[in-house]
Amino acid sequence: MARRLTPAERLASAEKDFLLEEIADQSSWNQFLVEQAVFHFGQRHDDFSCNDLRDVLPELGHGFLGAAINSLSRGGIIQHTGRMVPSTQANTHGHRIAVWELTAKGRAIAAARTARAQQRRAA
């Protein structure tokens, strides 16, 4: 038999559900912007973690960071380096988070974008 939730647990759950619903209601444009920010950051750094990205993203972007990392990873744009670092977020109590890097596919996309931008400037 399932244990009944206490009033505090129900309130915490309701708040969590509200926050998840609020994030889901945000435009997919916000996730796209965070994905672009992660990709851009990856072009300028050999490797990175969410710790690095949280420092440069506005607060709104933090809710989309995990989804952006997953999307870029599944798309073959970034890959796990095999290294982990402790999270700097206070509420995570230093749990381990992945260190990422651009893949060959990600670097090729970055190079193609750079070439197109240079062509536009030259024209």
Side-chain angles (χ1 to χ4, degrees):
M1 183 167 141
R3 182 179 70 86
R4 291 182 60 125
L5 297 176
T6 67
E9 290 170 329
R10 282 194 306 275
L11 287 172
S13 178
E15 181 179 343
K16 179 189 73 157
D17 291 344
F18 173 73
L19 292 174
L20 289 173
E21 185 176 307
E22 188 176 84
I23 290 171
D25 284 346
Q26 295 293 324
S27 156
S28 61
W29 182 248
N30 291 332
Q31 182 175 337
F32 175 75
L33 289 175
V34 174
E35 287 173 359
Q36 291 299 306
V38 171
F39 181 62
H40 184 75
F41 196 90
Q43 291 175 60
R44 281 149 183 70
H45 299 86
D46 291 334
D47 57 27
F48 56 92
S49 72
C50 288
N51 291 337
D52 302 314
L53 294 161
R54 277 192 303 271
D55 290 341
V56 297
L57 285 174
E59 190 68 32
L60 174 65
H62 295 189
F64 295 99
L65 189 51
I69 292 284
N70 286 334
S71 173
L72 292 170
S73 175
R74 276 188 253 117
I77 307 299
I78 63 173
Q79 65 188 2
H80 191 285
T81 63
R83 293 192 342 254
M84 304 286 278
V85 296
S87 174
T88 57
Q89 250 185 333
N91 64 343
T92 64
H93 307 291
H95 77 273
R96 313 285 289 161
I97 59 173
V99 177
W100 301 93
E101 65 185 356
L102 286 183
T103 62
K105 179 180 178 180
R107 288 189 296 277
I109 292 169
R113 284 183 172 193
T114 300
R116 281 194 305 270
Q118 289 174 344
Q119 288 174 347
R120 276 186 250 129
R121 278 188 231 121

